[in-house]
Amino acid sequence: MIRVQNLVKTFGEFTAVNDISFEVREGEIFAFLGPNGAGKTTTIKMLTTLLKPASGEIELDGLNPVVQSNEARKRFGIVFQDPSLDGELTAYENMELHGVLYHVPRKIRNERIERLLKLFELWDRRNTRVKEFSGGMKRRLEIARGLLHTPKILFLDEPTLGLDPQSRNQLWTHVKHLNETERVTVFLTTHYMDEADRVAHRIAIIDHGKIVAQGSPAELKEQTSTESLEEAFLALTGSTIRDEKAGSIDQMRQMAKMWRR
Amino acid sequence: MGAVYILWLRELKRYVRSRVQILASLGQPLLYLLVLGFGLGPVFQQSGNGSYLQFIAPGVIGMTVLFTSIFSGIGLLWDRQFGFLKETLVAPVPRTTIMIGRTLGGATVAMLQGTLVLAVCLIAGFRPVSLASIPLAFLFMALTAVVFAGLGTAIGSALQDMQGFQLVMNFLVMPIFFLSGALFPLTNLPKVLGAVTKLDPLSYGVDGLRSALLGVSHYGVAVDILVLCVTATIFMALGGYMFSKIQL
Ligand SMILES: Nc1ncnc2c1ncn2[C@@H]1O[C@H](COP(=O)(O)OP(=O)(O)OP(=O)(O)O)[C@@H](O)[C@H]1O
Ligand SMILES: [Mg+2]
């Protein structure tokens, strides 16, 4: 479903994604894990037509997103790592706008918006402007929006960032359900190893723009002779914090993490 | 079609909901209208040009349309900053469609703001020669709005952040305003100034507004419409091209 070969992305002198290759099969839940600044979001941006690769090849459901951007866009849905809502619009209006852009027929659109907003407990606040939402509410809305149309491939870039355990549980249950019933291929990133362990069929670990390991959660643990995915992850990527290159969002997240401790 | 509509509607909703901003953006036109209109009025009258308030009102309307539509295009930078732009850029809709929706939305907002200023002018004592020509004035507002919303989108797509904004403001938007004949008659100008005003699309917008509201025209209505249509097409195409090249 997704094929990436020798993909490279540079920003000036800096190589964010350094010659990576991997494949995601149809109907698979694929987790793309790595420390901060490893190149996960950059890779997703290239896969979703937001960035042009410096070199290398991408195939998305048989299409080349660089050339056939619009056709490729019909194949996937995405929940971004960074905020992407219109704060001046209400929750309902944000959903509706998405539904129209993704050609979801009005009747189905209204039904699904209601179902999803209820699922993520936002229905009562549907007519509130998003700028008045809490961080977690915004995140839930972005997820609900990402699930409004049923794409062939769903990209989830740290979808559970800032979510409470209840909402995280809702999300993964829903994603697994979509994957099983609609055969939606899922490409996700997360920093919660237990989540990856629980939902992913296969995992690729990226560090400093290079893929350092690939396999099922069990295989990765076996390779590194560790008990948990978290230990396997640390064994593969080392335990130093990657903040030299961290952007402002990363810094904010690190602050948030420190506060939570 | 649905995509154009929903993005157009989004711009309108954002406008209507920003009441404070609407009021704030009336300040500048009011200043020009009252201070220049009444302050320079006597001098203007003595030189045999009639009422300066009458003369400047269409110019102030043109200015409002110019500023509002350019800013709406540059508003793209805010959408980039707050992240909403991504949402529209990955949607399965051609980039051109997205661009047309949001740019026409911005143009409509500029027209609404222009209409508001027209109302303010009427309150301040401005009197159009005939009511029958009001629709023509709206046509000129619309054309001017599309011209500069297209240009604004082109600029907004090219800039990465707000840093370039001041540059654009001082070296593009202000000159477009001052060189348009919004504040002075286009007759008997020094050669260079006269030539430059001819290159300024806003000259034709303001001239069109004057011919509609006052019945006097420098270039003639047909020329005004033609130039504005051609410029609108060029700037919309440029905006569409620049927009399609955005990377995040
Ligand atoms: N537009 C850009 N300009 C310059 N450098 C960038 C840009 N976008 C990303 N980078 C750099 O590329 C590297 C990879 O960033 P990316 O966002 O892909 O990391 P990530 O794996 O998603 O990390 P995180 O877990 O923090 O989200 C980082 O060092 C980042 O600073
Ligand atoms: Mg990231």
Side-chain angles (χ1 to χ4, degrees):
Chain A
M1 184 54 61
I2 305 174
R3 270 195 30 218
V4 167
Q5 261 174 343
N6 307 106
L7 190 63
V8 177
K9 179 72 200 180
T10 49
F11 295 109
E13 296 279 277
F14 179 71
T15 308
V17 172
N18 192 354
D19 193 18
I20 63 171
S21 304
F22 60 85
E23 200 164 326
V24 180
R25 297 174 207 129
E26 187 168 357
E28 193 167 53
I29 300 185
F30 186 84
F32 199 47
L33 307 179
N36 289 151
K40 304 180 293 295
T41 300
T42 307
T43 305
I44 291 184
K45 281 187 177 170
M46 289 189 280
L47 291 172
T48 55
T49 75
L50 285 177
L51 268 182
K52 280 206 167 61
S55 65
E57 259 143 61
I58 306 175
E59 207 181 292
L60 212 85
D61 196 20
L63 297 165
N64 178 352
V66 180
V67 186
Q68 300 151 290
S69 330
N70 209 45
E71 275 308 304
R73 286 184 199 125
K74 291 183 184 153
R75 306 296 201 273
F76 66 79
I78 176 166
V79 174
F80 299 100
Q81 175 179 356
D82 306 330
S84 61
L85 297 164
D86 185 341
E88 295 297 326
L89 298 184
T90 67
Y92 199 93
E93 287 169 337
N94 268 287
M95 292 292 278
E96 200 174 29
L97 195 146
H98 182 92
V100 172
L101 289 184
Y102 284 81
H103 313 294
V104 184
R106 182 193 299 263
K107 198 161 164 294
I108 302 175
R109 188 166 79 217
N110 294 343
E111 282 167 16
R112 281 213 196 136
I113 292 178
E114 183 170 345
R115 193 158 52 84
L116 283 163
L117 287 182
K118 282 183 174 158
L119 183 67
F120 287 97
E121 298 192 10
L122 291 166
W123 182 246
D124 296 340
R125 302 297 297 276
R126 63 185 178 281
N127 294 324
T128 306
R129 278 197 239 176
V130 168
K131 66 176 177 191
E132 293 167 26
F133 275 15
S134 76
M137 287 165 73
K138 285 185 194 151
R139 198 66 192 139
R140 271 160 26 212
L141 179 59
E142 289 186 312
I143 289 166
R145 187 181 66 178
L147 300 173
L148 182 55
H149 69 293
T150 311
K152 282 180 119 168
I153 309 170
L154 184 59
F155 290 95
L156 302 169
D157 196 354
E158 294 191 41
T160 50
L161 179 69
L163 282 192
D164 57 29
Q166 290 87 339
S167 315
R168 279 160 63 178
N169 197 37
Q170 279 301 3
L171 165 69
W172 294 126
T173 309
H174 196 86
V175 165
K176 280 189 110 163
H177 179 77
L178 272 182
N179 172 258
E180 279 154 21
T181 57
E182 316 265 350
R183 281 188 63 73
V184 174
T185 305
V186 181
F187 185 105
L188 66 94
T189 78
T190 176
H191 288 295
Y192 301 106
M193 294 301 135
D194 54 316
E195 290 181 344
D197 206 356
R198 178 178 145 202
V199 299
H201 302 140
R202 268 185 338 117
I203 293 174
I205 293 185
I206 180 171
D207 194 9
H208 297 297
K210 283 203 167 287
I211 291 186
V212 293
Q214 281 194 67
S216 68
E219 281 164 7
L220 291 180
K221 286 178 230 172
E222 201 180 297
Q223 257 183 49
T224 51
S225 342
T226 48
E227 296 288 309
S228 70
L229 192 60
E230 178 125 9
E231 288 170 308
F233 181 83
L234 289 172
L236 286 161
T237 58
S239 53
T240 47
I241 295 176
R242 313 303 160 79
D243 58 358
E244 334 82 86
K245 276 271 172 189
S248 57
I249 301 268
D250 299 333
Q251 280 164 8
M252 258 155 57
R253 182 186 24 242
Q254 279 172 4
M255 295 280 281
K257 271 185 193 160
M258 268 155 52
W259 275 105
R260 260 184 261 127
R261 284 199 185 122
Chain B
M1 213 37 237
V4 171
Y5 170 72
I6 200 90
L7 290 166
W8 174 85
L9 190 64
R10 166 186 182 250
E11 298 296 326
L12 251 68
K13 283 181 178 165
R14 288 176 66 95
Y15 171 71
V16 174
R17 286 174 194 178
S18 61
R19 296 218 180 81
V20 179
Q21 220 183 329
I22 296 176
L23 280 180
S25 59
L26 284 180
Q28 198 176 15
L30 261 176
L31 262 180
Y32 275 98
L33 198 65
L34 299 181
V35 176
L36 293 186
F38 290 109
L40 290 179
V43 187
F44 199 74
Q45 196 120 36
Q46 275 163 22
S47 65
N49 283 302
S51 156
Y52 191 52
L53 181 72
Q54 287 292 101
F55 177 81
I56 203 183
V60 170
I61 297 169
M63 171 187 89
T64 307
V65 174
L66 165 75
F67 284 178
T68 319
S69 48
I70 288 237
F71 290 162
S72 81
I74 294 178
L76 210 121
L77 278 173
W78 293 114
D79 283 345
R80 188 194 271 262
Q81 202 120 349
F82 290 111
F84 179 75
L85 189 61
K86 293 195 287 281
E87 156 77 359
T88 57
L89 292 188
V90 294
V93 175
R95 290 253 172 118
T96 326
T97 309
I98 305 274
M99 181 270 176
I100 289 176
R102 53 178 305 145
T103 309
L104 289 186
T108 310
V109 165
M111 265 192 79
L112 289 176
Q113 192 74 16
T115 308
L116 213 55
V117 170
L118 172 60
V120 170
C121 291
L122 292 174
I123 296 168
F126 171 69
R127 292 291 168 262
V129 280
S130 86
L131 288 180
S133 59
I134 296 277
L136 187 62
F138 278 107
L139 174 70
F140 278 111
M141 273 194 237
L143 287 174
T144 310
V146 174
V147 166
F148 292 110
L151 182 63
T153 302
I155 295 168
S157 308
L159 294 177
Q160 292 286 329
D161 50 43
M162 277 297 172
Q163 282 176 11
F165 182 74
Q166 204 61 30
L167 210 66
V168 172
M169 197 59 209
N170 290 341
F171 289 95
L172 191 72
V173 184
M174 290 319 268
I176 287 178
F177 168 51
F178 281 111
L179 296 172
S180 68
L183 301 177
F184 49 80
L186 294 173
T187 41
N188 304 325
L189 290 179
K191 252 212 172 76
V192 179
L193 187 57
V196 178
T197 53
K198 277 206 183 72
L199 293 175
D200 184 345
L202 187 61
S203 297
Y204 302 88
V206 169
D207 190 54
L209 282 170
R210 267 195 198 118
S211 61
L213 296 171
L214 302 176
V216 287
S217 174
H218 184 74
Y219 300 114
V221 175
V223 173
D224 291 336
I225 293 182
L226 187 71
V227 172
L228 288 173
C229 285
V230 171
T231 323
T233 313
I234 293 172
F235 284 172
M236 283 298 279
L238 181 70
Y241 175 78
M242 300 295 284
F243 191 78
S244 73
K245 294 282 166 227
I246 293 181
Q247 294 206 28
L248 288 176

